[in-house]
Amino acid sequence: MAFEGLTERLQNAMTKLRRKPTVSEADLRETMREIRLALLEADVNFKVVKDFVKQVQTRAIGADVLKGLNPAQQIVKIVNEELTTTMGTEAVPLNKSEKIPTIIMMAGLQGAGKTTTAGKLALKLKNEENARPMFIAADVYRPAAIDQLEQVAKSIDVPVFQLGTDVDPVEIVRQGLEQAQEQHNDYVIIDTAGRLQIDEKLMDELVNISNLAKPDEILLVVDAMTGQNAVETADGFNDKLELTGVILTKLDGDTRGGAALSIRAVTGKPIKFVGQGEKMTDLDVFHPDRMASRILGM
Amino acid sequence: ANFRHVDEEFFDNLEEALIESDVGFEMAVSLSDQLREEVKLQNAKSQQEVTNVIIEKLVDIYEQQGKNEDNAIHFAKQGPTVILFVGVNGVGKTTTIGKMAALYQRQGKKVLLAAADTFRAGATEQLQVWGDRDHVKVVTGPDQGDPAAVVYDAVNQAKNEDYDVLFVDTAGRLQNKVNLMNELAKMKRIISREIEGAPQEVLLVLDATTGQNALTQAKLFKESTDVTGIVLTKLDGTARGGIVLAIRNELHLPVKMVGLGEQVDDLQEFDAGEFVYGLFKGLVTATK
Ligand SMILES: Nc1nc2c(ncn2[C@@H]2O[C@H](COP(=O)(O)OP(=O)(O)OP(=O)(O)O)[C@@H](O)[C@H]2O)c(=O)[nH]1
Ligand SMILES: Nc1nc2c(ncn2[C@@H]2O[C@H](COP(=O)(O)OP(=O)(O)OP(=O)(O)O)[C@@H](O)[C@H]2O)c(=O)[nH]1
Ligand SMILES: [K+]
Ligand SMILES: [Mg+2]
Ligand SMILES: [Mg+2]
């Protein structure tokens, strides 16, 4: 891993502290600086880092950690706990509609992993609930987006509703939902085109789809390698849409994934799943404690 | 008279703006220290002067790292030029090929595309759409087939049918996947074996929204395929791609092209001045 983990950083800082009879506020400040650096190197947004470090400092002072035994370990524990709490302690399952179909809409920036993740989700539902999902192909912009979805769908034996690329995505969704009603699909997953949160026209399109379909889940798909900008993206999508959750993709890489903390902090929305590869089976439930350790490099 | 005071806050904000642009913490601190010095040295007073000094200095710092490099795309003196595209998943490799192919086609070059991503669903069809749009031929292979075989076919067509430029599209892969990185190195070896001096360019495509991981991407792709330059995509969004400063600093890899959207014309040559202005333009407009 390219960066020093937090444990290492704190051990180093604490070795210096240990040589002194008493620990001062300046020492505490130095420790907080190390935490700040570790989080910034993990790509946590700097504003989120600021608030987070303040929180940790308050708790550290309250717990008198610097006077206790092994202050480094205690601080790491506090940081880890705070991080896990911020990220939502427990895994949150998918929302389910009382009447079928449960409607899931994927949203996010270009190339984040929406189409691939739509496939993974459908397979998961089939395997775990014996579900009969259907896809709606609402990306009429990306070259061969429908071909991609159809190939994904075929590999997991799930039907696709599509009207080509010349029909308005809102109309495609409307007709797709009608078909799902007729065919009694219990889940509908809407694959939408990637878009920038500042693209008003395309964001309005998403809002229109959402108003029409009233999805039970609007999942923001985010690339785990995202840097400081994760906050602006998540904020932008969350402002326009009632996001219900987040899926973090490409965690099979060696990124620390600080974006997870940033997104959770600004939207308050749970991260529900993580993508761990390109295969249809590479989707896992999100575990906040594991993510905390990963961000901290432990 | 009390500019010194304003000045300090300005530089604190500058440091944050740089961090926010993903240049990385250490780079941000080191840059803002250097910039503070430069502003003092040049005795810049007004906001406008300060801004100008900062832009000049940042461009300077960027270009110093690039001595003996140039950010032009290199072509073979004779025979086909091969441009190999590499990068992690979803960054914009296929789209950039679509844009660049159109550019060269318009310049009168005879262009060929190789769909050597046989892995991802719909990848060949996606490149084919670009080929149709650009009126450029695409060499394809069977789905899930050997990508090296597609490369081999395409290189030989390029040679035998007098193409000027061959673009090779590869599947996205994360740099920590050793097998996939070896597969990529193999494709590059085939190109070099079949055409002396090729590939003339190995372009690493980086998504501007990427954080510190981009540095590891650049390191490992450089190790396996000897990357010659970077294409920085998605700069039309709110991300600024500051990590390329650190990449330039550590690995001396220049940015050659910039992606600014999904349409065929949304491609530009990299302009260091415009780029560094973008790194902190939020700060400049906010304090104006
Ligand atoms: N390694 C890895 N790759 C992934 C993961 N999820 C998606 N990908 C890859 O990321 C790339 C982009 O995925 P897509 O599903 O096409 O992304 P998208 O958000 O639908 O893209 P657009 O429709 O163009 O906006 C593809 O190469 C996928 O195979 C993951 O969890 N791990
Ligand atoms: N906004 C914006 N979107 C871009 C840009 N370049 C590419 N995209 C979009 O990003 C998504 C992924 O682009 P691709 O060209 O498929 O990326 P790739 O690297 O070939 O992806 P894989 O082959 O799956 O690894 C598509 O939706 C593109 O339209 C850009 O400069 N700006
Ligand atoms: K991305
Ligand atoms: Mg898609
Ligand atoms: Mg591609």
Side-chain angles (χ1 to χ4, degrees), chain B residues 94 117 120 169:
Chain B
T94 308
D117 177 357
R120 210 209 61 218
D169 188 20

Side-chain angles (χ1 to χ4, degrees), chain A residues 269-289:
Chain A
K269 299 295 156 65
I271 299 168
K272 296 200 168 179
F273 297 97
V274 294
Q276 306 262 36
E278 296 189 72
K279 292 198 304 292
M280 285 297 111
T281 45
D282 294 332
L283 186 74
D284 293 329
V285 166
F286 177 72
H287 293 287
D289 50 338

Side-chain angles (χ1 to χ4, degrees), chain A residues 110-120 135 137 139 141-156 158 160 162 165 191-194 250 278 280, chain B residues 89-90 94 117 119-127 129 143-144:
Chain A
Q110 289 94 344
K114 295 173 294 298
T115 307
T116 309
T117 308
K120 292 175 181 178
F135 294 119
D139 177 356
Y141 308 105
R142 168 174 167 161
I146 300 176
D147 286 306
Q148 183 189 2
L149 183 64
E150 283 194 320
Q151 287 180 28
V152 162
K154 194 171 162 221
S155 76
I156 54 173
V158 168
V160 178
Q162 63 122 327
T165 56
D191 183 33
T192 67
K250 310 181 198 174
E278 296 189 72
M280 285 297 111
Chain B
N89 307 79
T94 308
D117 177 357
F119 178 73
R120 210 209 61 218
T124 297
E125 289 81 354
Q126 185 188 2
L127 191 67
V129 171
D143 275 356
Q144 309 302 317

Side-chain angles (χ1 to χ4, degrees), chain A residues 51-112:
Chain A
D51 293 342
F52 182 81
V53 170
K54 230 180 264 163
Q55 229 166 287
V56 170
Q57 180 160 0
T58 310
R59 242 190 94 180
I61 291 170
D64 258 348
V65 291
L66 296 177
K67 288 185 197 136
L69 288 172
N70 209 339
Q73 242 170 42
Q74 281 197 56
I75 288 188
V76 170
K77 188 160 167 275
I78 292 178
V79 173
N80 215 339
E81 279 172 12
E82 284 293 320
L83 208 47
T84 310
T85 313
T86 312
M87 279 189 304
T89 8
E90 272 170 53
V92 180
L94 278 181
N95 293 332
K96 229 170 152 170
S97 160
E98 299 201 338
K99 270 194 346 219
I100 65 161
T102 291
I103 300 169
I104 301 173
M105 176 164 108
M106 316 298 285
L109 295 181
Q110 289 94 344

Side-chain angles (χ1 to χ4, degrees), chain B residues 215-256:
Chain B
L215 194 55
T216 326
Q217 290 173 27
K219 245 182 223 154
L220 294 182
F221 275 97
K222 191 180 179 197
E223 268 172 38
S224 66
T225 53
D226 221 345
V227 171
T228 58
I230 289 169
V231 178
L232 187 61
T233 60
K234 310 188 191 176
L235 267 181
D236 48 322
T238 47
R240 311 205 180 109
I243 190 64
V244 301
L245 281 186
I247 291 174
R248 190 77 190 267
N249 204 21
E250 277 194 38
L251 301 166
H252 306 287
L253 281 177
V255 180
K256 298 200 169 186

